[in-house]
Amino acid sequence: MIFVLIDGLNAETAFRHMGFMEHLVEAHAASKYVVRSELPSVSRPLYEVLMTGTPVSVNRICSNETIRKSTQKNLFQMSADAGIATAAAAYYFFSELYLHAPFHPLTDRFHSDSASAIQNAMFYYDDSYPDSHLFLDADELIIRHHPGFILVHPMSVDYIGHQFGGGSGEYCKAAFNVDCILSRFLFKWIEEGYSVIITADHGMGKDGIHGGTSAEERMIPMYILSGQVDAADYSGQTVSQLHIAPLVCKLLGLPLSEHMIEPKIPGLHPAV
């Protein structure tokens, strides 16, 4: 499983400007969804939602300033405990949530420890880190370590959105650019036997802010490329973000944690 988390990408922009992904939906090679993010619609709390399937009221990761290790069962540890190798090419918040906090750039940027929840990782700490580099980092981890579960987490859409706003041409171009990068890797990864989920943590308001309840901030895309999900356009329905972590568990053959809910994902094969 390759889990691509495009930071700050709202659904409307993805569906208008990610032509490669939309082609895969039209060609019945991918399924497409609208997901409603949990609140608050900010990064660190929603990373925890996506990796644990728990809301803020349970996990208590309440803001980007909640700097501590997660106390919840998470996809990395659950995978590692089941003998599935894990990896991440991601923003340093993931190191703080699932390895240790605080993050130290001099010692924590590159990580390799088979006893960790995230066994191999390349973390970045500059919000302007290019998506082109991030995807190459991820592919290098895949080539070297053959993980069964890897997080791929580009930041440019969020970074540009904060600078120019979610309604700007620059924000749309950032979404287009990450779509182009995906087109270079997706077929390769599928041929290597991976299923792929592509989604976001939150969206972006036209004013360059997120954290609240508007559709621009909360409605995000999800695409799934998996033989265990029927490929179709399901974007007429809205999926809860709390269903994504248990969906990953289903696709990896992992039991759900006690705090996860049964995922209601249109197209998911009943036997999964």
Side-chain angles (χ1 to χ4, degrees):
M1 166 66 64
I2 296 174
F3 191 102
V4 180
L5 174 56
I6 303 173
D7 210 286
L9 177 64
N10 66 41
E12 179 184 2
T13 300
F15 296 162
R16 281 193 294 119
H17 295 288
M18 296 183 70
F20 172 69
M21 293 308 308
E22 290 297 307
H23 163 68
L24 294 181
V25 177
E26 289 188 357
H28 304 289
S31 53
K32 169 182 170 181
Y33 306 83
V34 172
V35 175
R36 179 185 288 107
S37 83
E38 285 288 295
L39 292 172
S41 54
V42 292
S43 291
R44 195 187 298 251
L46 297 183
Y47 299 165
E48 176 79 339
V49 169
L50 287 165
M51 294 297 109
T52 70
T54 62
V56 164
S57 56
V58 172
N59 64 53
R60 305 300 174 91
I61 300 294
C62 299
S63 74
N64 284 346
E65 285 68 50
T66 308
I67 303 171
R68 63 164 174 81
K69 189 175 178 181
S70 170
T71 61
Q72 303 297 309
K73 290 184 178 179
N74 63 81
L75 294 176
F76 293 111
Q77 190 64 63
M78 294 168 71
S79 297
D81 289 346
I84 298 171
T86 61
Y91 195 57
Y92 76 95
F93 282 9
F94 281 94
S95 175
E96 293 183 328
L97 282 167
Y98 306 114
L99 294 176
H100 63 84
F103 176 84
H104 298 290
L106 290 177
T107 57
D108 298 340
R109 175 155 155 69
F110 301 101
H111 172 81
S112 183
D113 181 356
S114 61
S116 298
I118 307 175
Q119 295 166 342
N120 292 285
M122 298 181 184
F123 296 110
Y124 63 96
Y125 54 90
D126 188 330
D127 290 18
S128 64
Y129 191 68
D131 289 355
S132 57
H133 292 43
L134 183 280
F135 276 89
L136 287 172
D137 292 344
D139 198 51
E140 182 67 15
L141 287 167
I142 291 169
I143 292 168
R144 288 189 186 184
H145 304 290
H146 310 289
F149 176 69
I150 180 171
L151 172 69
V152 182
H153 176 217
M155 184 65 74
S156 290
V157 173
D158 182 79
Y159 177 70
I160 294 296
H162 282 303
Q163 288 185 301
F164 299 99
S168 67
E170 290 87 351
Y171 180 77
C172 296
K173 181 66 180 299
F176 171 78
N177 285 341
V178 77
D179 182 63
C180 290
I181 295 170
L182 283 166
S183 74
R184 300 173 201 157
F185 289 97
L186 275 187
F187 290 133
K188 172 182 180 291
W189 290 343
I190 291 167
E191 288 169 2
E192 291 170 352
Y194 283 99
S195 295
V196 183
I197 293 177
I198 300 165
T199 189
D201 49 351
H202 53 74
M204 182 68 65
K206 290 182 172 58
D207 53 6
I209 299 171
H210 57 83
T213 62
S214 71
E216 292 87 355
E217 295 167 273
R218 293 193 73 182
M219 296 304 182
I220 55 177
M222 181 168 67
Y223 300 95
I224 302 176
L225 296 87
S226 170
Q228 301 175 81
V229 180
D230 292 329
D233 184 348
Y234 301 105
S235 60
Q237 307 175 54
T238 301
V239 174
S240 167
Q241 196 173 42
L242 293 173
H243 291 187
I244 295 180
L247 167 65
V248 173
C249 287
K250 292 282 187 179
L251 296 179
L252 288 174
L254 300 173
L256 307 189
S257 77
E258 62 269 26
H259 292 303
M260 289 180 181
I261 58 179
E262 191 69 24
K264 297 178 180 178
I265 305 294
L268 179 65
H269 294 179
V272 175

